[in-house]
Amino acid sequence: MNRRLLKYAPLALVPLLLSACTSSAKPAPIDLNTAGFFTKYFVYPLSYTLDWFAEHLWGQYGLSILIVTLIIRFLILPLTLKQYRSSKRMQELQPELKKIKEKFKDDAKKQQEETMKLFQQNNVNPLAGCLPLIVQMPVLIALYQAIMRNDQIREHTFLWMNLGAPDKFYILPLLAAGTTFLQQKVMSSQMSNPQMQSLLFIFPVMIFVMSMNFASALPLYWIYSNLFTVVQSYFMYGGGKKKPELKGSGSK
């Protein structure tokens, strides 16, 4: 359980990092002559990309964010695949892990050594699940700055929402929380892990609170990303697959 909470710890840092970037004054436009490393190589390219796609999508930045979301998710797909394989493998190793805990319950050091040996033998990285979220953190921060420092995006209206302001009708926060719940539900059912049930409500509530306070473009990105994850999970876990043979720590 603690490992799963640790996996989502980067997400909990997002509101703090975004808050640090927020100021009551109007954000300064992007100036490449005075821009720092993050602005020059993250914020500006993202802002330019959003502008470019909007120009080719009838001036709709909401659709531009959709395309950028798909591009980002496909770019990190190798990390996501690694995360899912590691998660499934971790579930298959639970009986072996339980045996190790029982066998070395009085020797924490030996228990840790045998656990790491088991992971190595079965090519499992317990931290693999953190990578997609960690990679997306600078993207979220860059997206926030790209919106707030680009007048065209910040003042753009898509459907009922102003992309540069929180959704005053709370429709986006509800959709962001709902799709987050759906994503967690799909993943927990596919992984058959009862521990995931306790997380079904924690992160949707977190996303709802965050979405209430940030520019509408951010929860819009989360909604697109969550739906992508649901479809991706369907194709990745669809159909029965033969489980690979485990290599226990005590096998010969």
Side-chain angles (χ1 to χ4, degrees):
M1 178 66 176
N2 290 335
R3 187 180 290 113
R4 287 201 171 274
L5 290 175
L6 179 63
K7 170 184 170 181
Y8 289 94
L11 184 60
L13 297 176
V14 172
L16 297 177
L17 293 172
L18 290 177
S19 298
C21 301
T22 306
S23 172
S24 57
K26 182 179 179 180
I30 300 172
D31 184 354
L32 291 180
N33 294 322
T34 59
F37 177 86
F38 186 76
T39 298
K40 181 176 292 186
Y41 295 104
F42 285 88
V43 179
Y44 174 75
L46 189 52
S47 178
Y48 176 84
T49 302
L50 288 169
D51 283 340
W52 190 88
F53 278 115
E55 289 178 4
H56 294 79
L57 293 169
W58 311 283
Q60 296 297 319
Y61 279 98
L63 297 178
S64 177
I65 292 173
L66 170 60
I67 300 301
V68 170
T69 302
L70 293 176
I71 292 173
I72 292 170
R73 292 307 305 267
F74 277 115
L75 286 175
I76 67 172
L77 186 57
L79 293 178
T80 306
L81 290 171
K82 187 175 182 179
Q83 170 198 351
Y84 284 167
R85 292 190 188 109
S86 181
S87 297
K88 288 191 70 176
R89 198 66 172 147
M90 189 73 74
Q91 295 308 306
E92 295 165 356
L93 289 176
Q94 289 305 309
E96 294 291 332
L97 290 172
K98 187 176 180 180
K99 290 179 183 179
I100 291 175
K101 288 181 180 179
E102 292 176 352
K103 184 176 181 179
F104 303 104
K105 59 183 178 181
D106 297 324
D107 190 342
K109 183 177 180 181
K110 185 65 176 177
Q111 183 182 133
Q112 184 177 10
E113 289 176 356
E114 291 298 319
T115 299
M116 294 308 299
K117 186 186 297 183
L118 182 65
F119 287 160
Q120 291 173 1
Q121 290 174 343
N122 290 275
N123 298 317
V124 172
N125 181 2
L127 299 180
C130 299
L131 293 177
L133 283 173
I134 292 175
V135 169
Q136 288 188 78
M137 283 180 64
V139 174
L140 288 172
I141 298 170
L143 178 63
Y144 181 83
Q145 290 200 22
I147 295 162
M148 301 310 292
R149 298 175 66 177
N150 185 323
D151 289 341
Q152 289 183 317
I153 304 176
R154 189 175 67 248
E155 299 173 2
H156 181 76
T157 300
F158 178 66
L159 300 178
W160 71 89
M161 69 197 84
N162 183 334
L163 294 181
D167 182 4
K168 60 183 179 180
F169 299 111
Y170 302 110
I171 297 175
L172 275 182
L174 287 172
L175 289 175
T179 54
T180 300
F181 176 84
L182 178 61
Q183 171 194 332
Q184 295 288 328
K185 187 71 174 177
V186 169
M187 293 181 66
S188 65
S189 64
Q190 297 290 354
M191 295 303 298
S192 301
N193 184 6
Q195 290 182 336
M196 281 292 290
Q197 301 300 321
S198 60
L199 303 179
L200 285 177
F201 298 97
I202 295 176
F203 297 109
V205 170
M206 183 187 299
I207 290 294
F208 178 79
V209 174
M210 292 165 62
S211 300
M212 288 174 57
N213 297 287
F214 294 129
S216 293
L218 280 182
L220 187 61
Y221 169 83
W222 283 322
I223 292 168
Y224 291 150
S225 185
N226 287 338
L227 293 176
F228 182 94
T229 301
V230 171
V231 175
Q232 174 183 265
S233 298
Y234 173 80
F235 284 104
M236 290 181 61
Y237 291 103
K241 294 182 179 179
K242 184 178 180 180
K243 293 183 179 181
E245 183 181 353
L246 297 181
K247 299 178 182 179
S249 59
S251 61
K252 299 292 184 182

